Amino acid sequence: MHGDSDKHVKMIDVARAAGVHQTTVSRALRGDPALPMATRNRLVELAKSMGYRRNPLVSALISERRRGKPTGHGASLSVLSAGGQPDRWRSKSASYTAIFRHMKACAEELGYRLEEHAVDNPDLRTERLRKILLARGVRGLIISPMLPVPEIMELDFSDFAVIALRLGAVEPSVNRVAPDYFSIASNALDKLWDSGHRKIAFFSQAKVDEMVRHRSLAAYLAKRYVSKKHFLEPKLMEDWSFEDFKAWFVKHKPDAIIASVHLDYMIIRDWLRSLNVPIPESLSVINLDCHADTSEAGFIHDHELEARYAIKLLVSKVESADFGIPRAPIRLSVPGIWRNGDMFAPRS
């Protein structure tokens, strides 16, 4: 079996060809005496025949980690951002700011630096950015939650381990970490139903629905499929004014409203207050993305867990030299945390 000179053979490719775990190949290539000599020789020969070459930087990182020393230069991870400025992806979102803070702390615990670089900076073309990243010892990339930009697809990922945060950027198709939007919405609906709510409504924005790949809406429609009587037709916020909302509310008289994001939650709350609706006495209002520093009712996204999943997944890929776009991307889904808040109350 011979390697293709145009393809970078990874340790995981050798493991698949040998029918063993990647860890076994790693042990064989470093001459682990605990592994039978026949197994070591077989795997070393297979790796040679396939054209596998060790990445010296990764080997150095692993050696330093084993000695318990900070990895220093050559042990960097970077968040790729849109908008021309490296930190713009988190500058307008308290959630993203929290995720970055937790990612940075987790990276430092594991001996890595976490940087930020802008992908669509007009003064920094993708090939130049690639060279800068390599020169700085960056081998792990995190695609920030951003709308797709053409430049991201132009970047050569073959020398980097790469994952994505959230579901916004469909391409490149890589491993990603995101809140479990479907289960969060489904659990919120179950919470409302179990607490006696029987006329439930769902509001979202089209752009928000697109960024979560329709998962929240899908959970709602699954419930509505079973009982249209108790789950009203979902509505898009962009199409609504206060007068539209007032006419709808008077007609349907819901006992619960679910908003997909904080902004929608605030708008609906203000509209209901203008209508003098007693909340939560006659109506519960639930947010699927509560801010931690508020008293909103609904689900809080676990930013620390999301950040730790992201960094640990990326570090594992860096340390096994699992570079480039994966053949079969995986997604780690992070559950939310329920909070009763001040706009939720069981119905009689």
Side-chain angles (χ1 to χ4, degrees), residues 9-20:
V9 179
K10 304 172 187 175
M11 191 182 295
I12 194 170
D13 297 324
V14 179
R16 286 170 179 156
V20 299

Side-chain angles (χ1 to χ4, degrees), residues 156-230:
D156 180 1
F157 290 104
S158 60
D159 290 314
F160 304 98
V162 56
I163 67 166
L165 289 176
R166 303 291 174 101
L167 305 178
V170 178
E171 297 294 342
S173 182
V174 298
N175 296 346
R176 61 183 65 237
V177 178
D180 192 342
Y181 297 107
F182 185 93
S183 73
I184 287 172
S186 183
N187 290 339
L189 291 163
D190 288 341
K191 184 74 173 180
L192 289 171
W193 184 267
D194 293 342
S195 58
H197 295 81
R198 291 297 181 268
K199 209 162 189 181
I200 303 170
F202 177 87
F203 281 79
S204 182
Q205 297 181 47
K207 62 181 180 181
V208 172
D209 188 49
E210 176 64 26
M211 288 190 71
V212 304
R213 301 300 155 204
H214 317 295
R215 283 163 170 77
S216 302
L217 178 60
Y220 184 80
L221 290 175
K223 300 289 186 183
R224 188 169 188 266
Y225 179 79
V226 176
S227 178
K228 285 188 178 181
K229 175 183 177 181
H230 299 299

Side-chain angles (χ1 to χ4, degrees), residues 19-285:
V20 299
H21 194 274
Q22 185 174 323
T23 309
T24 306
V25 176
S26 176
R27 292 171 59 196
L29 295 179
R30 66 174 187 263
D32 187 344
L35 208 62
M37 184 176 291
T39 301
R40 275 185 280 156
N41 291 340
R42 178 174 69 89
L43 294 176
V44 168
E45 288 303 315
L46 177 61
K48 287 181 180 178
S49 70
M50 291 179 66
Y52 171 79
R53 290 179 297 172
R54 268 181 169 252
N55 185 298
L57 172 64
V58 173
S59 300
L61 296 185
I62 295 173
S63 297
E64 289 183 15
R65 290 282 311 284
R66 289 201 185 103
R67 291 196 298 271
K69 297 180 180 179
T71 49
H73 185 73
S76 293
L77 313 173
S78 179
V79 181
L80 298 183
S81 173
Q85 297 298 322
D87 62 349
R88 186 170 182 180
W89 72 278
R90 59 184 170 90
S91 62
K92 296 183 179 180
S93 170
S95 296
Y96 296 163
T97 298
I99 291 171
F100 180 77
R101 182 177 70 253
H102 290 305
M103 287 197 305
K104 190 174 181 65
C106 184
E108 289 173 354
E109 287 175 13
L110 297 175
Y112 288 79
R113 292 191 307 271
L114 181 62
E115 305 177 355
E116 294 171 288
H117 292 88
V119 177
D120 55 346
N121 186 335
D123 298 323
L124 195 63
R125 297 292 80 181
T126 51
E127 181 56 27
R128 185 180 168 211
L129 173 60
R130 175 180 173 275
K131 291 178 180 179
I132 289 174
L133 292 170
L134 292 173
R136 292 185 60 81
V138 173
R139 289 301 182 275
L141 300 178
I142 301 169
I143 299 175
S144 66
M146 59 184 183
L147 295 175
V149 292
E151 289 82 0
I152 193 70
M153 290 304 298
E154 296 175 8
L155 187 62
D156 180 1
F157 290 104
S158 60
D159 290 314
F160 304 98
V162 56
I163 67 166
L165 289 176
R166 303 291 174 101
L167 305 178
V170 178
E171 297 294 342
S173 182
V174 298
N175 296 346
R176 61 183 65 237
V177 178
D180 192 342
Y181 297 107
F182 185 93
S183 73
I184 287 172
S186 183
N187 290 339
L189 291 163
D190 288 341
K191 184 74 173 180
L192 289 171
W193 184 267
D194 293 342
S195 58
H197 295 81
R198 291 297 181 268
K199 209 162 189 181
I200 303 170
F202 177 87
F203 281 79
S204 182
Q205 297 181 47
K207 62 181 180 181
V208 172
D209 188 49
E210 176 64 26
M211 288 190 71
V212 304
R213 301 300 155 204
H214 317 295
R215 283 163 170 77
S216 302
L217 178 60
Y220 184 80
L221 290 175
K223 300 289 186 183
R224 188 169 188 266
Y225 179 79
V226 176
S227 178
K228 285 188 178 181
K229 175 183 177 181
H230 299 299
F231 297 90
L232 303 175
E233 181 183 351
K235 299 297 180 181
L236 294 178
M237 291 292 291
E238 292 91 337
D239 300 335
W240 284 57
S241 65
F242 171 68
E243 292 302 323
D244 294 326
F245 179 82
K246 179 180 178 180
W248 171 86
F249 185 83
V250 170
K251 177 181 179 180
H252 293 286
K253 298 180 175 61
D255 61 10
I257 295 178
I258 292 183
S260 60
V261 290
H262 174 76
L263 178 60
D264 294 350
Y265 178 93
M266 298 295 286
I267 293 172
I268 290 170
R269 183 201 64 181
D270 292 344
W271 284 349
L272 290 169
R273 286 177 176 173
S274 297
L275 294 173
N276 296 315
V277 177
I279 306 171
E281 291 79 11
S282 65
L283 172 74
S284 293
V285 184

